[in-house]
Amino acid sequence: MAARTPAPDGTGAGTGAEGPAAKAPTAEAQAGGGAASARTRRPPTMTTDTARPEGGGRAAPGDAPAPARQWPLLTVLGLAALGLLVVGTDLFPQSFRVGTLLVGVALLTGAGLRRALPSVGMLAVRSRFTDMITYGLMGTLIVLLALMVQPAPWLRIPFLEDVLHLTIT
């Protein structure tokens, strides 16, 4: 993929080729081969930009205010902040467990949004597959650990208790 060079008028609609092949068309291009055969397959000598991750475009039209364009990221961050607030204030006996569950659910929500929506704005960090696996795995682990925290766990997984007893004794 060749780098884009700006057009002389500054519109950014220049050609995608650089180097000698872009300046002087080959004999094949002059004979009717078209502009596509005049491009070179060499990579550009200097990279000037990085590609956005797939789905990294705006989640709302460009004329919308910034919070509306980034609503998927703000949803995930809001849920995680709510979970941290519940843990930090410690208002009721199970607030640690409930707050940690909210943080895990925030990551699972991020995985779901990344899967379902074509554009999620700044929630897209890597490729769609990598983001879904990362958010989903971390969210699942946090939720499971929140459910299994002592004392009086809400979820008991017997083989994990056996592994823990084997490692401690």
Side-chain angles (χ1 to χ4, degrees):
M1 173 181 251
R4 294 184 181 200
T5 57
D9 61 351
T11 61
T15 63
E18 288 184 341
K23 295 176 183 162
T26 61
E28 181 183 6
Q30 290 175 348
S37 61
R39 292 186 180 163
T40 175
R41 295 188 64 178
R42 282 185 282 148
T45 57
M46 182 174 59
T47 303
T48 59
D49 197 9
T50 57
R52 269 190 275 179
E54 52 184 284
R58 295 181 175 124
D63 58 345
R69 290 192 307 261
Q70 297 299 330
W71 71 267
L73 177 68
L74 293 176
T75 301
V76 171
L77 288 178
L79 273 173
L82 180 64
L84 292 175
L85 184 68
V86 168
V87 170
T89 56
D90 199 21
L91 296 175
F92 49 93
Q94 296 292 327
S95 61
F96 174 76
R97 190 184 314 264
V98 171
T100 310
L101 278 171
L102 281 172
V103 171
V105 167
L107 287 170
L108 291 173
T109 301
L113 288 173
R114 191 69 173 100
R115 172 70 177 113
L117 298 177
S119 293
V120 290
M122 289 175 55
L123 187 61
V125 178
R126 297 156 295 264
S127 70
R128 185 178 309 270
F129 177 77
T130 304
D131 280 344
M132 286 183 343
I133 295 299
T134 304
Y135 295 147
L137 186 62
M138 294 302 293
T140 302
L141 288 175
I142 290 173
V143 166
L144 284 177
L145 289 173
L147 292 174
M148 293 170 46
V149 73
Q150 296 290 335
W154 292 355
L155 175 66
R156 290 190 180 272
I157 301 177
F159 75 88
L160 288 180
E161 290 177 4
D162 294 338
V163 169
L164 180 63
H165 289 296
L166 289 174
T167 58
I168 291 177
T169 57

